[in-house]
Amino acid sequence: MFLKMGRVVSYISALIALILVIVLALYLLTPKPAKPPENIVLKAVSFAGLPNWSENTDFSIAFSAFQKSCASILNKPSQVKMQGAAVGGVAGDWKPVCIKANQVSLDNEQNIRAFYEANFTAFSVSLNDNSEGLFTGYFEPLLNGSFERSDQFQYPLYGPPKDLVSVDLGQFRPALKGERIAGKINQNRLVPYEDRAEIDTAGLRNKADILLWVDDPVDVFFLHIQGSGRVKLPGGNLQSVGYAAQNGHSYRAIGRDLIDMGAIAREDISMQSIRTWLTDNPDAAPSMMQRNRSYIFFRLIEGGEGPFGSAGVALTAGHSLAVDLRHLPMHAPIWLSSSYPDPAVPGQDIVMNRLMVAQDTGGAIRGEIRGDVFWGFGEKASAIAGKMQNSGQYWLLLPNELAKRVEAGFD
């Protein structure tokens, strides 16, 4: 009897210990915001108060981007939560406006503007009485590569590894919505996956398909940062590649390291200056790039579509915005007031007031008022995106019925 009681006590003690470990793990995994979320303020404002809203004549491209999002939304069950911040509600909150959107012609800018004014409520977004944030850019780079390895093409673009496990933490705890981790299983435990240095050094030993071979490791590095691109094949054809998975390690901006070590002045930092340093320092470049432990795996994109953002829809140059999904919902229209570098005049910026759609996210896009503008493909897109680090602000547009609930929740 005493032996049995001892076993019960031991069992209960082990169970309590296991529960404590789980609770501690969940606590440690829960992201700790830099500032309390209650400091984020959404305030309903009139459309007339949005900079250049009434004078803007460039609604049709952004509206087409929104229709792409609507095609995705209309395919979702109505009770499915919108990806990203809870303020986005559920798919059913968006379906009525999406149905109306499909009935609006792209040929009439005035009707498109009227559609938003009639069906949406605009919210200013501020944090601790500050509405200014950082806006950067990204684009589709061009690489040279081949489906076959050769003396010229030595650097692989990998597909997702067979042993890579990606975990959506929001499925286990609502407070972790929007947070993901990735790793691999080792003796029934999830452990970190190989980082950039390990993959560069040892490869993936048949654990992942090699999609293409590229001629420049620096090009591969920047493709990982951009998330999608095009590869020019020996015959001249272009093969599109897009984001498929990530190894689970945090993104690190090596530009900060180059500034700290005095290699590049802070005022001169850009994608172009970082690329120049890496090219000019081939011996130091590998270890510098490996400071960014994050590693991206790709997929081939056929049929001329894409690139695709995290929302699962094709991105629209100049009107798709990557956002921090902890603070904004995917697919939401956003009015952005910022500026971007003039690709023709170094040192000058061009004012930008335009409608965007939240259709992507990224490891470097972290912050309550933060965005990354997709600029498309080509030299102009590269010139803008590589140097864009401009301040700005945005307004979130929500369907009217959802907006009423949001206002009530922020009273």
Side-chain angles (χ1 to χ4, degrees):
M1 179 178 177
F2 291 105
L3 181 60
K4 289 182 179 179
M5 289 183 63
R7 289 176 179 174
V8 171
V9 171
S10 298
Y11 173 77
I12 293 175
S13 299
L15 181 60
I16 293 173
L18 177 60
I19 292 173
L20 290 174
V21 169
I22 293 173
V23 170
L24 178 60
L26 287 172
Y27 173 78
L28 293 174
L29 284 171
T30 301
K32 306 302 187 295
K35 301 180 179 64
E38 58 266 22
N39 289 345
I40 301 173
V41 177
L42 299 183
K43 181 180 179 181
V45 298
S46 69
F47 280 92
L50 275 55
N52 202 47
W53 172 268
S54 300
E55 297 78 21
N56 190 280
T57 58
D58 185 26
F59 282 97
S60 61
I61 301 177
F63 188 66
S64 177
F66 180 62
Q67 287 180 324
K68 293 177 183 177
S69 276
C70 278
S72 174
I73 293 170
L74 290 171
N75 282 328
K76 299 178 185 294
S78 293
Q79 294 306 312
V80 169
K81 294 180 179 180
M82 294 289 284
Q83 185 180 358
V87 71
V90 297
D93 294 320
W94 293 81
K95 287 188 176 184
V97 297
C98 282
I99 292 172
K100 292 180 181 179
N102 289 335
Q103 300 169 353
V104 178
S105 171
L106 292 173
D107 298 331
N108 192 314
E109 298 279 346
Q110 186 174 349
N111 286 349
I112 296 174
R113 183 189 292 109
F115 162 79
Y116 284 109
E117 292 176 350
N119 294 285
F120 285 84
T121 300
F123 288 88
S124 63
V125 183
S126 62
L127 178 69
N128 298 324
D129 296 325
N130 178 32
S131 59
E132 293 286 321
L134 173 66
F135 294 87
T136 52
Y138 67 115
F139 73 109
E140 274 192 285
L142 177 65
L143 298 82
N144 295 303
S146 171
F147 287 110
E148 302 294 332
R149 188 176 189 178
S150 66
D151 290 341
Q152 180 180 0
F153 304 112
Q154 288 285 321
Y155 305 98
L157 298 184
Y158 288 107
K162 300 177 181 65
D163 60 341
L164 180 69
V165 177
S166 180
V167 181
D168 180 357
L169 295 176
Q171 293 183 356
F172 297 87
R173 185 169 179 176
L176 298 175
K177 183 180 180 181
E179 294 292 327
R180 303 185 70 91
I181 59 173
K184 62 182 180 180
I185 302 298
N186 184 10
Q187 296 182 349
N188 295 323
R189 294 187 178 186
L190 183 67
V191 299
Y193 206 79
E194 285 88 338
D195 64 10
R196 179 177 299 276
E198 292 171 314
I199 295 174
D200 284 348
T201 302
L204 289 174
R205 297 193 181 94
N206 299 319
K207 294 192 296 185
D209 293 333
I210 295 177
L211 306 180
L212 290 157
W213 296 92
V214 179
D215 65 350
D216 188 341
V218 176
D219 283 349
V220 172
F221 179 76
F222 280 102
L223 176 65
H224 283 209
I225 295 175
Q226 303 303 319
S228 64
R230 304 183 192 184
V231 180
K232 185 177 181 180
L233 302 174
N237 292 333
L238 296 180
Q239 172 64 60
S240 295
V241 295
Y243 174 97
Q246 191 254 4
N247 67 341
H249 291 277
S250 298
Y251 172 84
R252 180 187 179 103
I254 65 169
R256 296 173 186 171
D257 295 314
L258 291 168
I259 291 172
D260 292 342
M261 60 189 284
I264 302 176
R266 184 177 299 275
E267 61 271 18
D268 295 329
I269 202 71
S270 67
M271 181 195 72
Q272 288 83 354
S273 63
I274 295 172
R275 175 183 286 277
T276 297
W277 189 92
L278 293 172
T279 302
D280 291 346
N281 296 271
D283 293 335
S287 61
M288 178 57 67
M289 292 187 289
Q290 288 166 3
R291 295 190 181 197
N292 176 18
R293 301 177 67 193
S294 172
Y295 199 94
I296 304 301
F297 307 105
F298 296 92
R299 64 187 180 95
L300 301 179
I301 298 177
E302 307 296 348
E305 289 189 286
F308 292 87
S310 301
V313 300
L315 300 177
T316 300
H319 292 277
S320 290
L321 188 70
V323 299
D324 187 338
L325 293 181
R326 297 175 302 169
H327 308 295
L328 290 180
M330 196 68 87
H331 296 299
I334 292 172
W335 186 255
L336 175 61
S337 180
S338 184
S339 59
Y340 61 89
D342 187 336
V345 184
Q348 290 194 17
D349 289 333
I350 298 175
V351 174
M352 172 174 60
N353 292 295
R354 65 174 65 173
L355 195 62
M356 313 288 289
V357 185
Q359 294 177 322
D360 206 359
T361 188
I365 314 306
R366 311 291 282 182
E368 291 82 356
I369 304 174
R370 178 77 171 88
D372 204 26
V373 179
F374 174 66
W375 288 104
F377 173 73
E379 293 183 4
K380 181 179 179 181
S382 172
I384 296 173
K387 296 181 179 179
M388 184 175 178
Q389 297 187 52
N390 295 38
S391 63
Q393 56 184 313
Y394 52 44
W395 289 258
L396 172 64
L397 275 57
L398 295 176
N400 289 331
E401 292 303 314
L402 174 60
K404 292 177 183 178
R405 301 204 309 272
V406 170
E407 286 187 279
F410 278 80
D411 285 342

